[in-house]
């Protein structure tokens, strides 16, 4: 088996897997911390306390609890938004960095092995399209690296989408 086939297919597959891997790792890193969990617990306790108190009969106590509830809820919301923003920035950075390095590797491979066939098939297997599949190379009944990258770039995302939807 041709090592160029394995390398090029692997690089195209990695390009489709990296977003899922980074999403998993980053969601683990940017998970809710103890302070946020404590704030969430306090907010829910205050909500329970407010539901027990009659707003008409104990208005001052109710408003005091309501102000504290609003303040804690605002603090939690700010921390949550900050964490979510940091998570999104980090995820975008890693995804685009990986795509950039992947593109550089692909460009280098195409530059070095542009005309070399990646798969050589039996005679007249690709008969009506043999010139198209072998382009820019000249070997008949072969698939060039450039065409193979195009095929894997089109097929693998659909394959990964079907796997993830199951």
């Amino acid at each position: 088996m041709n090592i160029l086939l394995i390398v090029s297919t692997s690089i195209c597959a990695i390009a489709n897997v990296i977003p899922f891997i980074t999403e998993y790792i980053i969601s683990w890193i940017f998970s809710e911390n103890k302070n946020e969990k404590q704030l969430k617990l306090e907010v829910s306790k205050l909500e329970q306390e407010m539901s027990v108190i009659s707003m008409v009969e104990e208005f001052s106590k109710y408003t005091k609890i309501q102000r504290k509830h609003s303040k804690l809820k605002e603090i939690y919301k700010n921390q949550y938004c900050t964490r979510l923003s940091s998570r999104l920035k980090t995820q975008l950075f890693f995804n685009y960095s990986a795509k950039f390095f992947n593109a550089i590797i692909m460009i280098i491979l195409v530059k070095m092995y542009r005309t070399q066939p990646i798969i050589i098939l039996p005679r007249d297997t690709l008969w009506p399209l043999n010139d198209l599949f072998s382009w820019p190379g000249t070997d008949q009944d072969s698939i060039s690296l450039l065409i193979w990258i195009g095929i894997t770039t089109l097929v693998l995302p659909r394959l990964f989408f079907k796997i993830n939807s199951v």
Side-chain angles (χ1 to χ4, degrees):
M1 185 154 232
N2 192 350
I3 192 76
L4 194 56
L5 173 69
I6 296 169
V7 170
S8 63
T9 307
S10 300
I11 291 172
C12 288
I14 288 170
N16 291 302
V17 172
I18 283 176
F20 299 111
I21 294 171
T22 57
E23 183 179 349
Y24 176 74
I25 292 171
I26 289 173
S27 67
W28 179 68
I29 291 171
F30 286 96
S31 63
E32 198 172 52
N33 61 23
K34 290 179 183 178
N35 188 23
E36 282 182 88
K37 288 179 183 176
Q38 184 65 31
L39 278 172
K40 192 190 250 185
L41 184 66
E42 286 181 38
V43 166
S44 66
K45 283 181 182 177
L46 288 173
E47 285 173 353
Q48 287 176 347
E49 199 174 321
M50 284 170 42
S51 67
V52 173
I53 297 173
S54 172
M55 191 166 116
V56 177
E57 294 174 5
E58 300 180 61
F59 182 73
S60 63
K61 186 176 180 182
Y62 185 86
T63 55
K64 185 178 179 182
I65 293 171
Q66 188 178 25
R67 276 185 258 133
K68 187 175 181 182
H69 173 265
S70 298
K71 184 179 178 182
L72 287 177
K73 200 169 185 179
E74 186 67 31
I75 292 170
Y76 175 76
K77 183 180 173 183
N78 288 337
Q79 287 182 358
Y80 176 79
C81 288
T82 303
R83 179 174 53 87
L84 210 60
S85 174
S86 298
R87 176 184 170 177
L88 181 64
K89 288 175 188 175
T90 306
Q91 189 170 357
L92 285 173
F93 172 76
F94 281 117
N95 282 343
Y96 284 115
S97 297
K99 285 183 182 193
F100 176 74
F101 288 121
N102 198 0
I104 288 175
I105 292 170
M106 285 300 219
I107 289 170
I108 291 169
L109 278 176
V110 168
K111 191 84 166 157
M112 290 173 61
Y113 302 105
R114 180 177 51 238
T115 59
Q116 198 168 14
I118 205 164
I119 300 172
I120 298 174
L121 300 167
R123 186 169 171 82
D124 293 332
T125 306
L126 302 170
W127 171 66
L129 303 172
N130 57 0
D131 289 333
L132 176 70
F133 281 117
S134 65
W135 180 83
T138 56
D139 297 340
Q140 294 294 321
D141 296 313
S142 66
I143 299 176
S144 69
L145 177 65
L146 197 61
I147 298 299
W148 183 251
I149 289 171
I151 291 169
T152 54
T153 302
L154 289 172
V155 172
L156 286 179
R158 285 155 184 80
L159 179 68
F160 283 120
F161 178 72
K162 287 195 184 263
I163 291 171
N164 287 331
S165 65
V166 170

